[in-house]
Amino acid sequence: MAIKVIGTGFGRTGSDSMREALTILGFGPCHHMFEVMANDDQKRLWRSLAKGAAPDWNQLFAGYASCVDWPSSHYWRDLIEFYPDARVILTYRSPESWWKSFEKTILAGISQSTDQESLGLALISRQVFGGRPHDRANAIAVYAANVRAVIATVPSSRLLVHNLGDGWEPLCLHLGVSVPNQSYPNRNNTKDFQSALAQN
């Protein structure tokens, strides 16, 4: 199974709602940090990658049809080349809104972690945010730079910028599927995100 949809947005941009939406639309299973939480093999493989192992994308995504959120979104540049036919989605919210959500959830989880090999510390804290995830100005600048890089790199014909609240219509148009007869998912698992980053 090849990845058909690649999410390039940071955690706390509606990525868990997007995970559920993609599953409803037939693009599941969808890889997300929660998958790493639930699977020791996933945890081992992604920790190894974060430490510098050569990526084996087919092994990392075995059984998955799409991916969103960290850890995969950190590697979007590699993934869009490895899966050239995959559609790309940038989940987006304003930088200030993102920081407020990130601070309460993912950053809180990172702050609780004592495992230096956890993805919260090894990948998100050190690699994504350069060891300064608590620095608001730095974190917002990194977030904004990622948004700019995705828009500048991915051809517009392949990319959907999906804002919080956009719902089904633009997503389904981008993926070439019908709008389902149910509400767009609205997930906001604060405690789950805190525990995920403290343990993984």
Side-chain angles (χ1 to χ4, degrees):
M1 179 184 296
I3 291 292
K4 298 176 182 177
V5 183
I6 298 166
T8 60
F10 281 11
R12 305 311 296 173
T13 58
S15 57
D16 191 31
S17 298
M18 180 60 70
R19 175 192 62 81
E20 187 170 335
L22 290 171
T23 300
I24 291 168
L25 294 176
F27 295 92
C30 181
H31 193 275
H32 183 282
M33 182 63 84
F34 289 143
E35 301 295 313
V36 180
M37 281 178 63
N39 186 305
D40 286 340
D41 285 338
Q42 278 283 313
K43 186 184 295 187
R44 175 182 55 80
L45 289 169
W46 284 97
R47 284 186 173 203
S48 180
L49 181 63
K51 288 194 293 186
D56 182 341
W57 299 122
N58 288 326
Q59 182 183 30
L60 286 159
F61 292 117
Y64 293 96
S66 55
C67 59
V68 297
D69 196 71
W70 288 309
S72 63
S73 64
H74 180 59
Y75 301 97
W76 65 263
R77 291 172 179 82
D78 295 321
L79 294 177
I80 63 172
E81 292 188 9
F82 192 81
Y83 299 107
D85 296 326
R87 307 296 282 172
V88 182
I89 299 172
L90 174 64
T91 46
Y92 179 80
R93 67 195 299 173
S94 72
E96 189 64 41
S97 169
W98 168 79
W99 167 257
K100 290 178 180 177
S101 180
F102 173 78
E103 185 180 30
K104 290 188 300 186
T105 55
I106 294 175
L107 188 57
I110 290 172
S111 300
Q112 296 168 20
S113 181
T114 58
D115 182 351
Q116 293 300 310
E117 293 189 1
S118 72
L119 292 177
L121 292 177
L123 180 74
I124 298 173
S125 177
R126 293 197 285 270
Q127 294 185 35
V128 175
F129 294 107
R132 297 161 55 203
H134 295 82
D135 181 332
R136 175 183 172 278
N138 173 69
I140 287 178
V142 170
Y143 172 84
N146 184 71
V147 170
R148 291 193 301 271
V150 171
I151 293 172
T153 303
V154 182
S156 59
S157 60
R158 190 181 177 190
L159 175 66
L160 170 68
V161 179
H162 195 269
N163 298 273
L164 285 185
D166 278 355
W168 287 121
E169 284 75 10
L171 177 61
C172 293
L173 181 63
H174 183 63
L175 298 177
V177 296
S178 300
V179 175
N181 187 27
Q182 63 186 96
S183 298
Y184 186 86
N186 182 15
R187 297 178 59 85
N188 187 19
N189 295 314
T190 300
K191 292 182 179 178
D192 288 346
F193 279 102
Q194 290 174 345
S195 62
L197 273 302
Q199 299 171 26
N200 294 285

